[in-house]
Amino acid sequence: MFTDFVPNPDNNPECLIPGNTSQFFFGKKEPVEHRLKGSRKAVMNTIYSLYTQGYAQLYEWTPLEPSGMPGEVISTLTRYLILD
């Protein structure tokens, strides 16, 4: 069981080429935006709920902004997905 975690001496992360490593290993990243729109209380409640579930940190959301509708705000979270 522990042999699965024995380091491979040929796999040296210090020999990787900086700058291209994330693209090389993980492929292209595509942005996905999550937008919350509603009352201030509903948006804040959802942001905190997603935080407690471990989905997003509080600082990752944009500040609340008016949506143009009275009593309504918007906040956005951008995530980057690695797709093949």
Side-chain angles (χ1 to χ4, degrees):
M1 177 176 184
F2 290 110
T3 58
D4 294 336
F5 301 103
V6 174
N8 179 352
D10 297 327
N11 185 10
N12 185 352
E14 293 178 7
C15 294
L16 297 175
I17 301 168
N20 287 334
T21 55
S22 63
Q23 282 280 33
F24 178 73
F25 289 112
F26 302 115
K28 185 179 179 187
K29 294 180 182 179
E30 286 198 30
V32 174
E33 285 188 359
H34 302 282
R35 288 199 180 138
L36 299 177
K37 183 177 176 182
S39 70
R40 184 182 202 295
K41 185 176 182 178
V43 170
M44 291 300 295
N45 187 300
T46 304
I47 289 172
Y48 282 117
S49 176
L50 291 169
Y51 167 71
T52 60
Q53 294 173 37
Y55 184 74
Q57 296 296 316
L58 298 176
Y59 65 85
E60 294 178 297
W61 292 92
T62 61
L64 298 180
E65 297 180 19
S67 71
M69 297 294 292
E72 194 174 72
V73 296
I74 295 176
S75 185
T76 305
L77 166 72
T78 303
R79 284 292 170 104
Y80 295 89
L81 301 178
I82 299 168
L83 304 175
D84 293 333

